[in-house]
Amino acid sequence: MSDCGAFDTNVVTVTRFVMEQGRKAKGTGELTTLLNSLCTAVKAISSAVRKAGIAHLYGIAGSTNVTGDQVKKLDILSNDLVINMLKSSFTSCVLVSEENEKAIIVEPDMRGKYIVCFDPLDGSSNIDCLVSIGTIFAIYKKTTDDEPCEKDALQPGRNLVAAGYALYGSATMIVLSTGQGVNCFMLDPAIGEFILVDRDVKIKKRGKIYSLNEGYAMHFDPAVTEYLQKKKFPEDGSEPYGARYIGSMVADVHRTLMYGGIFLYPGNVKNPKGKLRLLYECNPMAFIMEQAGGKATTGLEDILDIQPESIHQKAPVAMGSLEDVQEYIAICQKHAKK
């Protein structure tokens, strides 16, 4: 018989973890059910992203599949998975997806009390070159008793009940916060469960890495240019910062969380509000950063304080280590006074 000595018989799965937190908070269990359904969607997306069943899709010889089926693009497939899983969990009433122009109002007989905003497959333009991609989600509670509508989703990030992201990298990981710190769960393919691997993650007070697309340098605001100059040519004789930019928000933010430093997607002359969406990119990531002891800002105000006006609204963003972000804010405030 094989040796089972190394097998952990008391693993903390994401479901167990959330149930324990819910029990402490005297909750109803509805959030656990919602997060469970999200985990199922993430497992299915992870399998699809890793090109499982590729022989079935392309035929063994590499031609398209014999029946000529339209193979669904991964981002559409991911969107359908998340929507269907959330609806069938009976926990949500309004869904906002990056892929859908309008909010999805859940059918009356399937409704619950939560509002979920999500980007089903962030960085999907990177799929073809096998760069890490992810799923981002933000969960709010409905605050009124009237009929659910798009307006219910227009809440500032301070109202978040839970948020997180899944990263499909060298392994599949879910990084989650329910407002009591940040925890990381790794997918164990052997048992098909997310296992707690990092408890109460904290970001460094200061890092040594800056991360943004410098291809837009010509269009940067003077504040961004000055900040970058200070990172590359420090005046105090310290070492310059290293630059890392993947171009997939989940991967760039996750690295920033793990190693410290700052991630920026500022506004510029062409796009004054940047490119990232407030509801399902900036807010959930800002929530994770703040829960880990970091900070997230537009340069002039906290991301989580912004009152959204539309579901696909954009916001300029800088997030990461507390001291790095504070230094950036100071420069932005100085330029705003000019």
Side-chain angles (χ1 to χ4, degrees), residues 20-88:
E20 283 169 2
Q21 286 198 322
R23 181 55 87 80
K24 283 182 204 154
K26 305 213 170 7
T28 60
E30 205 171 323
L31 183 63
T32 306
T33 307
L34 191 160
L35 288 167
N36 241 340
S37 70
L38 262 178
C39 284
T40 306
V42 166
K43 287 177 205 170
I45 295 166
S46 174
S47 172
V49 163
R50 298 189 192 296
K51 303 284 190 268
I54 194 164
H56 173 70
L57 293 183
Y58 291 99
I60 304 300
S63 57
T64 51
N65 67 5
V66 271
T67 54
D69 286 345
Q70 242 349 90
V71 178
K72 267 194 184 174
K73 285 187 71 180
L74 273 176
D75 43 2
I76 308 298
L77 175 107
S78 305
N79 194 41
D80 292 349
L81 271 166
V82 175
I83 291 168
N84 291 333
M85 287 298 162
L86 287 173
K87 278 186 175 180
S88 60

Side-chain angles (χ1 to χ4, degrees), residues 12 173-174 183-187 194-199 201:
V12 179
M173 176 174 269
I174 282 184
N183 296 280
C184 301
F185 303 84
M186 190 97 73
L187 180 61
F194 284 97
I195 308 298
L196 180 63
V197 288
D198 278 324
R199 198 184 276 269
V201 175

Side-chain angles (χ1 to χ4, degrees), residues 235-255:
E235 289 150 12
D236 58 3
S238 61
E239 280 292 302
Y241 274 37
R244 298 281 185 278
Y245 187 70
I246 299 161
S248 176
M249 188 197 190
V250 176
D252 279 312
V253 169
H254 187 68
R255 185 203 52 251

Side-chain angles (χ1 to χ4, degrees), residues 140-197:
Y140 297 91
K141 222 180 234 171
K142 183 160 162 48
T143 52
T144 56
D145 294 327
D146 52 7
E147 191 65 14
C149 64
E150 197 167 279
K151 211 165 124 225
D152 289 317
L154 300 178
Q155 299 186 41
R158 294 278 171 225
N159 291 6
L160 277 164
V161 175
Y165 57 86
L167 176 66
Y168 312 108
S170 48
T172 296
M173 176 174 269
I174 282 184
V175 177
L176 174 69
S177 177
T178 54
Q180 282 117 29
V182 177
N183 296 280
C184 301
F185 303 84
M186 190 97 73
L187 180 61
D188 181 345
I191 59 170
E193 289 283 3
F194 284 97
I195 308 298
L196 180 63
V197 288

Side-chain angles (χ1 to χ4, degrees), residues 200-215:
D200 199 20
V201 175
K202 292 290 177 222
I203 189 171
K204 289 176 183 167
K205 283 274 178 274
R206 180 179 284 278
K208 297 187 181 119
I209 296 169
Y210 72 89
S211 179
L212 86 166
N213 185 349
E214 289 195 75

